[in-house]
Amino acid sequence: MSDLERICSVEDVPADTTFLFRVRDADDEEREAILVRTDGELRGWLNYCMHLTHIKIDKGSGASMRNGELICENHGAYFEADSGYCNYGPCEGAYLDDIDITVDGDHVFLSDEKFDFVGAGGIEKDPADRTSSSNVEF
């Protein structure tokens, strides 16, 4: 995939939630990813719970966080923001899939060779799409 691509400025990443953005993988599939602050550093993760991977951690308005942990509101799983480790919930022991980023000065860049940067924000859904976004499928 491509070289370093700018995602956002460091200031754009909130202190108490996540910054949502989109990437494209080698199969041309668009996916969501998040940036999170942890212990003065930034980390990047793909935006889905490891219990049921169609469930997003950041649903578009920032992920819930508590004491340095990302919370999956659907399952009650807690993921350590710095390591991605799930220390509580139905996927305990699993890890979030990381995405490589580089901070250079005041800017955050995508440095993961498996992805190309698409843009800020989440994947837009078709308003006619009536599929469930909960963990219960109909």
Side-chain angles (χ1 to χ4, degrees):
M1 310 270 340
S2 64
D3 294 330
L4 295 180
E5 298 173 272
R6 185 181 182 278
I7 299 170
C8 63
S9 72
V10 171
E11 287 181 5
D12 290 336
V13 182
D16 57 353
T17 188
T18 52
F19 179 88
L20 181 64
F21 64 102
R22 299 177 315 283
V23 294
R24 187 173 320 280
D25 65 19
D27 295 327
D28 206 34
E29 181 182 347
E30 193 169 317
R31 305 183 68 184
E32 289 184 358
I34 54 176
L35 296 174
V36 63
R37 288 184 184 270
T38 175
D39 296 327
E41 295 184 12
L42 298 180
R43 293 296 311 255
W45 306 106
L46 290 178
N47 185 33
Y48 58 85
C49 181
M50 299 310 294
H51 177 225
L52 296 171
T53 57
H54 68 281
I55 301 295
K56 297 175 182 178
I57 294 173
D58 181 336
K59 297 180 186 318
S61 58
S64 295
M65 291 188 71
R66 182 193 68 131
N67 298 328
E69 297 169 316
L70 295 160
I71 302 169
C72 175
E73 293 179 354
N74 287 76
H75 309 116
Y78 290 82
F79 297 91
E80 296 171 359
D82 61 345
S83 68
Y85 176 74
C86 180
N87 59 30
Y88 179 81
C91 51
E92 188 171 344
Y95 285 85
L96 294 173
D97 289 327
D98 66 328
I99 190 161
D100 295 335
I101 59 165
T102 299
V103 176
D104 187 5
D106 295 333
H107 303 281
V108 183
F109 296 90
L110 178 65
S111 54
D112 198 313
E113 294 182 2
K114 298 181 299 273
F115 300 100
D116 285 321
F117 178 69
V118 175
I123 296 171
E124 291 191 27
K125 292 196 131 212
D126 182 340
D129 182 2
R130 301 273 188 223
T131 58
S132 172
S133 60
S134 73
N135 58 348
V136 178
E137 291 293 321
F138 297 98

